[in-house]
Amino acid sequence: MSDSTLAGQFFDAAIGLLRRVRDEDAGDIAAAGTLIADTVADGGRLFAFGAGHSSLAAQDVVYRAGGLALMNLLAVPGVVGVDVMPATLGSALERVDGLASAVLDCSPLRSGDVLVIISLSGRNALPVEMAMNARALGVKVIGVTSVAYTSETTSRHVSGTYLKDHCDIVLDSKIAVGDAELTLETIDAPFAPASTVVTAALLQAVMATAAGALAERGIEPPLLRSGNVDGGHEWNSRVMTEYGDRIFYHR
């Protein structure tokens, strides 16, 4: 039974979106998980990037208990979160042409790696350019975006394209344009965004798929354990030593 409160309505909306991505994105989730497993098995490295609040989902798969130790954050100064002052600077930097090229030129990304790029709208110059240039380097790109934006907004990249146009695999979060699930007659603006919930769940589903795919091949997935359980630090130390040449947040 649905809850008529606003809190209940939000939970219902989020659950509905999670069901949609579970059912409608199943093939793409499986493909993304397999690609990550292939990359780990072949000696490649894993990176995740997101700007603004999209960075939350990227950070959620980096140095995370229960997550793959090989996932690294590709950080772009000024756009990783709302800690930059003023916070509006981060949004402005997403629209700057050439920024992604400079970041990639200084990054450890190389052919054979995988880069997960998260951008709800997929319309800004930074994620589009990031995907285009990464693929030119021989990097496989997994894009996490809302495809709805491509039909209801205009691209802010000079090419007129969106993130989804430059990915090897696209995961559609199904989030409505504007990223707000609720409305009320007494409130002028829509509210209660669900993109973080859905995008984080999408990526964790991909990571779970990758771990299972590695295990099926007889490869122990390089997973991290919580440092708050006995033996966790020792476990993580072993994993980081074994895969140290592919982990960049521990240097």
Side-chain angles (χ1 to χ4, degrees):
M1 181 181 296
S2 296
D3 188 336
S4 61
T5 67
L6 288 174
Q9 289 175 35
F10 175 75
F11 281 121
D12 287 344
I15 291 167
L17 286 164
L18 290 170
R19 285 177 173 154
R20 283 191 64 195
V21 297
R22 179 195 63 190
D23 298 339
E24 297 173 25
D25 287 2
D28 293 321
I29 290 170
T34 300
L35 175 58
I36 288 176
D38 290 344
T39 303
V40 172
D42 293 341
R45 292 90 58 80
L46 309 174
F47 297 85
F49 165 77
H53 286 92
S54 290
S55 72
L56 296 175
Q59 293 177 59
D60 192 53
V61 294
V62 176
Y63 189 50
R64 182 67 190 264
L68 291 173
L70 272 59
M71 184 61 72
N72 300 277
L73 185 68
L74 182 63
V76 178
V79 305
V80 174
V82 294
D83 56 333
V84 62
M85 295 297 290
T88 50
L89 175 60
S91 298
L93 289 173
E94 288 186 64
R95 300 191 290 271
V96 174
D97 292 323
L99 180 56
S101 298
V103 170
L104 288 174
D105 287 346
C106 298
S107 80
L109 271 164
R110 66 187 184 192
S111 179
D113 292 345
V114 164
L115 173 60
V116 178
I117 300 178
I118 306 155
S119 173
L120 178 60
S121 72
R123 68 189 296 225
N124 288 312
L126 182 56
V128 174
E129 183 182 294
M130 186 81 74
M132 293 175 67
N133 291 8
R135 293 183 84 191
L137 292 172
V139 173
K140 296 293 186 181
V141 174
I142 298 171
V144 188
T145 188
S146 171
V147 174
Y149 275 80
T150 63
S151 61
E152 298 184 43
T153 67
T154 56
S155 170
R156 288 175 173 154
H157 188 260
V158 64
S159 67
T161 60
Y162 297 78
L163 170 61
K164 77 172 188 65
D165 299 317
H166 306 284
C167 298
D168 296 279
I169 299 171
V170 176
L171 301 175
D172 183 4
S173 64
K174 320 295 182 185
I175 299 295
V177 174
D179 189 18
E181 293 300 318
L182 303 183
T183 58
L184 202 61
E185 289 183 0
T186 54
I187 300 177
D188 290 337
F191 55 100
S195 60
T196 303
V197 173
V198 175
T199 303
L202 260 173
L203 286 179
Q204 291 298 348
V206 169
M207 299 305 151
T209 302
L214 287 167
E216 286 178 359
R217 304 177 197 186
I219 301 172
E220 181 185 356
L223 297 169
L224 295 172
R225 303 191 74 167
S226 172
N228 294 314
V229 300
D230 292 342
H233 288 301
E234 292 77 12
W235 173 283
N236 292 341
S237 179
R238 176 183 63 81
V239 172
M240 290 183 181
T241 298
E242 183 176 351
Y243 291 94
D245 61 332
R246 293 194 260 174
I247 298 174
F248 297 93
Y249 55 80
H250 188 55
R251 296 182 178 180

